[in-house]
Amino acid sequence: MSDKDGKKPFGLGGGRSGQVKQSFSHGRTKSVVVETKRKRVVVPKPGAAAQGAAAGADSGAKAAPSAAARAAASASRRPAGISDAEMERRLKALAAAKAREADEAAQRAADERAREEERERRRAEIEAKEREDREREEALKAREEEEARKAEDARLRAARKDEVRKPAEAKAGAAPVDAAAAQAAAARAETKGVSARPARPERERDSRPDDRDSRNRGGEREGRRSGKLSVTAALAGGEGGRQRSLAAMKRKQERARQKATGGAMRAEKQSREVQLPEAIVVSELANRMAERAADVVKSLMKMGMMVSMNQSIDADTAELVIDEFGHKAVRVSDADVEQVIDTVEDKTEDLQPRPPIITIMGHVDHGKTSLLDALRKTNVVSGEAGGITQHIGAYQVTTESGAVLSFLDTPGHAAFTSMRARGANVTDIVVLVVAADDAVMPQTIEAINHAKAAGVPMIVAINKIDKPTADPMKVRTDLLQHEVVVEQMSGDVQDVEVSATTGQGLDTLLEAIALQAEILELKANPARAAQGAVIEAKLDVGRGPVATVLVQHGTLRQGDIFVVGEQWGKVRALIDDKGERVTEAGPSVPVEVLGLNGTPEAGDVLNVVETEAQAREIADYRVQAAKDKRAAAGAAVTLDQLLAKAKADETVAELPVVLKADVQGSAEAIVQALEKVGNEEVRVRVLHYGVGAITESDIGLAEASGAPVIGFNVRANAPARNSANQKGIEIRYYSIIYDLIDDIKAAASGLLSAEVRENFIGYAEIREVFKVTGVGKVAGCLVTEGVARRSAGVRLLRDNVVIHEGTLKTLKRFKDEVKEVQSGQECGMAFENYDDIRPGDVIEIFEREEVERTL
């Protein structure tokens, strides 16, 4: 079978054809048919030429100048090598093309008019069809209502007939049987398809449309709207396909109507007041103006700013954009974001009584936690490392009378000064615990000062009254020195003798607290947005950042959005002091709050806000403000001050440490304690401190600075341990603050230069001076006191003035070199690199001893 059977080869047609033989590698060849197209020559029609000649003859001499001018102009515009005839042909071809374009434009306009008329016709048809559908539906509805009304009338008539028939049935008992038989016959007739209804009059049947037809049409319409399309229906065509909904038809009509009336009417643009901070993200600016972000970006690009919707712009540029979009810019300061959390004054009628907040303060080991355990009937002391409180704890106690008291337990160790200050600032009453066998101690005095600074009333609890060495009167007299006058000393401060071990005086203490709380008349409004103070904060491995919050105003509920210091969050869970989950916490209730995005600082204030955006904005502003403050503090240092500090630091040895603790308060307390360790020669520098487990980043920081990593009640995770083992970084764990500070002191003491002490071991008097060849001058001496040693240092005294200090080159007794010469014996001494010795000089012999120093 040939390749060309029944087929014509492709060709340009009318051209000159030929064959070209192509050669390829490996001896392959191929013949290709090539056609050359002839050049097309445009020949003018004879009629057109004659018409042009006649027109030229009619114009006469009048048109001769213009024709000459045109010929001259065309000659000037004519390309080189084109004849007059060719030029004429081209001009005629151009005129013909213009005429074709005019015809096509006229045809397009006619087509557009025809399409518009067709659209109008279709629109009229659709409206007519919709009108018919509406009329049909209304007629169907009216018919249904008429049938329902007639059925109701028939039912009422039947009921009236029954009432009339009942007396007659009482007289004749056979009538009900006949009626029952008639009903049964009617039922059988209906079952067979024979209607028992009376036939409608002919006139009534003619006046109504055919019910069957209407039902068919209704079913047909329902079928169309069902939206199901089978293969058979699709192939058969007709009405089987899915039809457009009524809403879609209405939308189409509305679009056509708007197009016919000259386009859609745009809604009137609303002018808004846009709050404008110092810097704003483009997307946020668009959101505040209720404009599309793409339009705002386009406007900025027109101004020459190539920014994306996630970039920030300054207030001046944003104001120009706002003006361009027809809105009004309202400048606001960055600090204005905090106005949403301004404290509101509560009305007197809204205030309700609240439990008092009592802080237990005192010296370490005076029994504060044991006293609180006795009140709560629990055992917190056993859970604290070393039996001393190192965290601030918040608890609620319900007394036998039903009164609820909120207690804060503060550490007594000297390092926890800031914790005690926080406890005093959020409290209503301070219970000062003083041991009866120990009296007033340094932290007792500090607690008194904190209570006075906070301006809160004080109750003195004299603890350990059950001990044989207890002397409560000494405690009362010692308190007088610090202006605390108890009631037994004719003062106004209540004092109660208690014993946490035996329970003695606990009821009296609770009565004293209740009396003091009654005097204070403590009230709060539980119906407002919550506000509270962060007592303690930590980073829990399973729960994330956790803050112990003491609610002061309002009620904190699960799901509330809040901002606390530089952090924000949404309350995911609330846990009370017994470890149980609660849904809300009212005034004076301590709870653990979960759901923060970071660990806040202890002492920060928690405020509930309305939206997440507000909380995030306030937190971002506070973070930026803290950065600016640190930057300003750094910028305030001059170059001279930096040089002076660098020069001073040259002589100071530093012990760098990286610290991680379990809670924020403990970390602060340890940092403050470590800053006090050291003197003018050595100091401890905390490179970084934080809350939570020791991580790889901590190990990396410690490696870069050669610092040990200290974990207080926390441990390193597995990657951090492996990294520390590889890099040789020391990790030390502590659970008691005493041990930590003692070890850091010992390590810092190792950086101190040893103290050199001189011990005088003897004196010798020069009796004669000899010159020895190869040695120099040798002093013949008599050891007058102590002992002369070869390895010791010597000083040469002349008239009790030191003229030389050095070492001995030789020490001889007779002709033998000896290590030492005892008192009363003669010897020969020669100084290293010194010969100016005379008879009568005194040689002082001493030994240097290095003594390690401690902080």
Side-chain angles (χ1 to χ4, degrees):
M1 186 176 177
S2 173
D3 291 339
K4 296 184 181 180
D5 288 345
K7 297 181 183 176
K8 285 182 68 178
F10 287 113
L12 298 173
R16 291 192 299 273
S17 63
Q19 280 197 345
V20 176
K21 193 173 184 180
Q22 292 181 328
S23 299
F24 301 99
S25 60
H26 304 289
R28 290 181 295 127
T29 60
K30 182 181 179 183
S31 294
V32 181
V33 177
V34 179
E35 292 188 2
T36 308
K37 189 177 179 183
R38 294 191 185 91
K39 185 177 180 184
R40 188 173 180 181
V41 180
V42 180
V43 181
K45 294 179 182 178
Q51 188 179 354
D58 291 339
S59 59
K62 184 180 178 181
S66 60
R70 275 202 308 273
S74 62
S76 64
R77 291 198 305 269
R78 182 187 307 162
I82 300 295
S83 64
D84 292 341
E86 181 67 22
M87 191 65 193
E88 190 68 26
R89 281 197 300 273
R90 290 190 181 186
L91 290 173
K92 286 179 180 178
L94 185 61
K98 286 182 179 177
R100 275 198 308 275
E101 284 180 4
D103 292 343
E104 288 173 0
Q107 184 64 32
R108 279 198 299 272
D111 292 345
E112 183 63 32
R113 280 195 300 274
R115 280 196 294 271
E116 185 64 31
E117 288 171 2
E118 180 67 17
R119 280 198 292 269
E120 289 291 338
R121 187 180 62 76
R122 287 181 183 174
R123 185 159 59 246
E125 287 177 0
I126 291 167
E127 288 176 355
K129 190 175 179 182
E130 283 184 353
R131 192 161 52 249
E132 288 174 6
D133 289 344
R134 275 199 304 274
E135 289 172 358
R136 193 183 302 117
E137 288 173 3
E138 288 170 2
L140 188 62
K141 189 175 180 184
R143 189 167 65 249
E144 288 173 355
E145 289 176 357
E146 181 68 21
E147 287 177 358
R149 185 175 59 76
K150 287 186 177 181
E152 183 68 20
D153 292 344
R155 191 181 60 78
L156 292 174
R157 280 197 301 272
R160 280 197 297 271
K161 285 178 183 177
D162 289 343
E163 289 174 1
V164 173
R165 198 167 54 240
K166 280 179 183 176
E169 286 174 357
K171 294 177 183 179
V177 178
D178 295 339
Q183 287 179 1
R188 283 195 301 273
E190 284 182 4
T191 308
K192 292 177 182 177
V194 179
S195 176
R197 285 183 308 205
R200 287 183 299 182
E202 189 68 29
R203 184 170 43 81
E204 189 178 345
R205 278 208 302 270
D206 294 341
S207 63
R208 295 186 179 183
D210 191 1
D211 288 344
R212 189 171 55 221
D213 292 344
S214 64
R215 278 198 300 272
N216 289 342
R217 281 197 297 272
E220 193 176 301
R221 186 164 57 248
E222 290 300 322
R224 283 205 306 271
R225 292 190 181 179
S226 65
K228 292 183 179 178
L229 178 64
S230 64
V231 177
T232 311
L235 291 173
E239 298 294 332
R242 179 167 179 167
Q243 301 297 313
R244 299 186 69 176
S245 67
L246 195 62
M249 299 292 284
K250 285 182 177 178
R251 285 197 298 271
K252 185 178 178 184
Q253 289 175 13
E254 186 63 27
R255 284 197 298 272
R257 194 176 296 116
Q258 286 174 356
K259 188 173 181 181
T261 56
M265 296 293 293
R266 291 183 64 86
E268 188 179 348
K269 191 175 181 69
Q270 289 185 345
S271 179
R272 291 178 169 81
E273 286 191 352
V274 181
Q275 291 192 345
L276 187 58
E278 295 301 320
I280 188 168
V281 178
V282 174
S283 57
E284 177 63 21
L285 176 62
N287 191 23
R288 293 185 183 187
M289 293 193 299
E291 303 283 353
R292 290 173 62 243
D295 294 340
V296 179
V297 171
K298 192 185 297 181
S299 173
L300 286 164
M301 285 183 174
K302 287 178 183 176
M303 295 180 186
M305 291 186 67
M306 298 298 154
V307 294
S308 69
M309 61 186 291
N310 296 320
Q311 285 179 272
S312 182
I313 57 174
D314 62 294
D316 296 332
T317 308
E319 189 167 2
L320 292 173
V321 174
I322 291 168
D323 291 341
E324 184 178 336
F325 279 90
H327 303 292
K328 184 181 177 184
V330 179
R331 289 288 189 110
V332 294
S333 171
D334 287 344
D336 291 346
V337 297
E338 295 201 355
Q339 288 180 353
V340 295
I341 58 171
D342 284 344
T343 53
V344 292
E345 291 293 330
D346 294 319
K347 296 178 182 177
T348 310
E349 57 268 20
D350 295 336
L351 298 178
Q352 297 179 13
R354 66 171 176 84
I357 301 168
I358 303 106
T359 300
I360 299 182
M361 302 174 80
H363 193 71
V364 64
D365 277 342
H366 275 202
K368 299 181 295 299
T369 307
S370 301
L371 181 62
L372 185 56
D373 281 345
L375 292 171
R376 297 177 67 221
K377 298 179 176 60
T378 57
N379 187 11
V380 175
V381 173
S382 61
E384 289 280 3
I388 63 167
T389 301
Q390 300 179 112
H391 306 85
I392 189 164
Y395 313 99
Q396 271 202 322
V397 175
T398 305
T399 61
E400 293 179 0
S401 61
V404 178
L405 308 175
S406 294
F407 281 96
L408 297 183
D409 185 17
T410 61
H413 188 266
F416 296 98
T417 304
S418 56
M419 277 198 192
R420 283 192 293 279
R422 275 200 298 279
N425 287 335
V426 298
T427 192
D428 300 315
I429 302 167
V430 169
V431 174
L432 183 68
V433 178
V434 188
D437 61 341
D438 205 13
V440 176
M441 298 300 282
Q443 269 63 62
T444 312
I445 300 165
E446 189 183 287
I448 292 168
N449 294 334
H450 284 317
K452 286 181 178 177
V456 291
M458 196 184 311
I459 297 172
V460 178
I462 303 173
N463 196 17
K464 303 186 182 181
I465 199 71
D466 56 314
K467 286 198 170 183
T469 56
D471 187 0
M473 193 51 67
K474 183 177 184 303
V475 173
R476 295 186 179 100
T477 52
D478 285 357
L479 289 171
L480 288 173
Q481 300 175 18
H482 305 286
E483 301 174 5
V484 178
V485 186
V486 298
E487 287 180 342
Q488 286 203 12
M489 295 284 185
S490 305
D492 56 355
V493 178
Q494 298 182 78
D495 64 316
V496 183
E497 296 181 3
V498 296
S499 170
T501 307
T502 62
Q504 176 187 343
L506 294 181
D507 295 337
T508 313
L509 177 61
L510 289 174
E511 286 175 11
I513 292 170
L515 176 63
Q516 188 67 57
E518 193 176 338
I519 295 169
L520 292 173
E521 293 184 352
L522 302 168
K523 290 184 177 181
N525 178 13
R528 56 170 284 183
Q531 180 184 343
V534 176
I535 303 300
E536 195 56 274
K538 61 183 177 181
L539 186 64
D540 198 298
V541 175
R543 301 184 297 171
V546 180
T548 303
V549 176
L550 182 66
V551 182
Q552 294 170 305
H553 305 286
T555 303
L556 185 63
R557 295 179 177 84
Q558 190 169 338
D560 281 350
I561 296 165
F562 61 89
V563 60
V564 50
E566 296 176 15
Q567 311 298 335
W568 66 276
K570 185 175 182 180
V571 179
R572 204 169 71 232
L574 296 171
I575 299 168
D576 63 7
D577 59 311
K578 300 177 186 66
E580 298 173 357
R581 291 185 72 150
V582 293
T583 56
E584 61 179 31
S588 304
V589 177
V591 284
E592 279 190 341
V593 178
L594 279 70
L596 293 107
N597 72 328
T599 309
E601 299 286 330
D604 285 342
V605 177
L606 179 143
N607 292 95
V608 170
V609 295
E610 292 180 2
T611 63
E612 192 174 305
Q614 283 181 347
R616 191 185 286 108
E617 194 174 8
I618 293 167
D620 291 345
Y621 162 70
R622 289 178 175 175
V623 169
Q624 189 60 43
K627 284 182 183 175
D628 294 344
K629 189 175 180 182
R630 287 194 293 269
V637 181
T638 63
L639 184 60
D640 294 340
Q641 289 172 328
L642 283 172
L643 291 171
K645 187 175 184 296
K647 192 173 182 180
D649 289 347
E650 284 179 358
T651 58
V652 179
E654 280 189 345
L655 175 63
V657 294
V658 176
L659 172 68
K660 293 301 279 293
D662 56 342
V663 295
Q664 191 74 34
S666 297
E668 282 181 10
I670 294 167
V671 169
Q672 290 171 4
L674 293 181
E675 284 174 352
K676 295 175 184 175
V677 173
N679 53 21
E680 63 276 1
E681 293 180 42
V682 66
R683 66 179 171 216
V684 178
R685 183 181 171 202
V686 180
L687 296 173
H688 168 71
Y689 74 95
V691 176
I694 298 167
T695 61
E696 277 190 279
S697 59
D698 299 324
I699 302 298
L701 178 61
E703 181 196 17
S705 53
V709 180
I710 295 171
F712 185 75
N713 284 333
V714 295
R715 294 291 181 269
N717 55 29
R721 285 197 301 272
N722 297 336
S723 179
N725 292 335
Q726 289 173 2
K727 297 172 181 176
I729 301 299
E730 182 184 13
I731 302 177
R732 308 195 76 170
Y733 300 120
Y734 296 92
S735 57
I736 301 174
I737 196 168
Y738 297 127
D739 300 341
L740 189 154
I741 293 171
D742 289 346
D743 284 3
I744 293 294
K745 274 186 181 177
S749 300
L751 296 176
L752 287 170
S753 55
E755 183 182 355
V756 178
R757 292 180 184 172
E758 290 184 355
N759 296 325
F760 296 102
I761 58 173
Y763 288 94
E765 185 183 343
I766 298 177
R767 295 290 178 90
E768 194 65 53
V769 178
F770 307 99
K771 284 187 179 181
V772 179
T773 306
V775 177
K777 289 186 177 180
V778 177
C781 308
L782 174 66
V783 179
T784 57
E785 185 180 338
V787 64
R789 285 200 180 97
R790 167 81 175 76
S791 58
V794 290
R795 290 193 187 95
L796 184 65
L797 307 180
R798 189 174 294 161
D799 298 329
N800 291 325
V801 176
V802 177
I803 60 172
H804 174 67
E805 181 176 337
T807 56
L808 290 176
K809 183 161 62 175
T810 180
L811 175 64
K812 290 190 176 181
R813 174 136 173 86
F814 301 111
K815 290 187 178 182
D816 300 325
E817 190 77 28
V818 292
K819 288 185 177 179
E820 64 177 38
V821 177
Q822 298 294 328
S823 174
Q825 296 179 347
E826 290 183 346
C827 62
M829 294 184 189
F831 290 91
E832 193 81 51
N833 300 325
Y834 190 76
D835 282 342
D836 185 16
I837 51 178
R838 300 175 190 175
D841 291 348
V842 176
I843 297 172
E844 185 180 74
I845 305 153
F846 63 91
E847 283 185 341
R848 286 191 174 91
E849 178 186 10
E850 289 189 351
V851 179
E852 285 189 1
R853 294 160 64 199
T854 57
L855 291 169

